[in-house]
Amino acid sequence: MPKLLEKETFDLILTDLKMPGLDGLDILRTVKEQGRDEEIVIITAFGSLETAIEALTSDVFDYVTKPFKKEQILFTVNKAMRWQRLKKEAEATRALFEREPWPEAERALQAEYVRRLAARCVDDRDAVVRRSGLPAEWVAECLAAGDTKPS
């Protein structure tokens, strides 16, 4: 595995299929075997039905053949990054519902609600208080403490 992947995690890995030493399918297999969260996009000028099937059955995010248009890559990257955001949001939501005991879970749910409402209100604290129905002191404390992300 490339040393960079041993040291860092990424949201997205763009790799060529054919490279000296380690090819794109090797990177895909390694990332998936290790249970890493990166999405993989394989780009190739040597596309074949065999490598496409292997990539797709190994859970590649996309398999792009050359030549391609710039817009195709931009679309694929945008789609992969949106997918990553949705996966992280789903994981955070799952973690909220696994909190125990109830008072701790309730506070975490309220904090997440305040965080999302604050984003919609462009951090207008008065609007958050008015729209949430939560006590102004708690909203202010929660926003000031940065305690608006689930732990």
Side-chain angles (χ1 to χ4, degrees):
M1 176 144 86
K3 292 198 184 305
L4 185 60
L5 290 179
E6 292 174 3
K7 296 178 187 176
E8 301 285 336
T9 60
F10 303 92
D11 289 324
L12 174 63
I13 297 172
L14 292 169
T15 182
D16 205 321
L17 179 64
K18 301 284 186 190
M19 298 181 294
L22 192 67
D23 71 20
L25 289 173
D26 292 331
I27 291 174
L28 173 64
R29 279 190 292 271
T30 300
V31 166
K32 297 304 176 178
E33 285 169 3
Q34 292 181 357
R36 295 172 58 124
D37 290 330
E38 289 97 341
E39 293 299 337
I40 310 291
V41 174
I42 293 178
I43 300 171
T44 184
F46 305 99
S48 70
L49 184 56
E50 182 181 292
T51 58
I53 289 171
E54 184 174 355
L56 292 169
T57 58
S58 297
D59 203 22
V60 72
F61 186 81
D62 206 350
Y63 182 89
V64 180
T65 57
K66 296 176 187 175
F68 53 82
K69 294 187 185 229
K70 171 181 67 170
E71 293 80 14
Q72 182 182 4
I73 290 295
L74 293 173
F75 176 79
T76 298
V77 168
N78 186 332
K79 188 169 66 168
M81 296 307 291
R82 283 194 327 252
W83 180 245
Q84 282 289 48
R85 189 181 71 246
L86 287 171
K87 288 192 316 186
K88 289 176 183 177
E89 189 173 296
E91 177 57 29
T93 301
R94 184 195 59 73
L96 282 172
F97 283 97
E98 291 180 352
R99 299 282 294 258
E100 295 178 7
W102 169 247
E104 186 179 321
E106 181 180 34
R107 174 142 176 112
L109 288 164
Q110 286 178 342
E112 177 65 8
Y113 174 77
V114 167
R115 183 185 71 76
R116 291 178 184 218
L117 185 56
R120 289 194 311 271
C121 294
V122 195
D123 295 323
D124 178 350
R125 186 176 296 169
D126 292 334
V128 173
V129 170
R130 189 174 53 258
R131 291 171 64 177
S132 71
L134 293 168
E137 303 79 31
W138 190 85
V139 169
E141 174 188 320
C142 187
L143 292 174
D147 183 25
T148 55
K149 292 189 179 191
S151 48

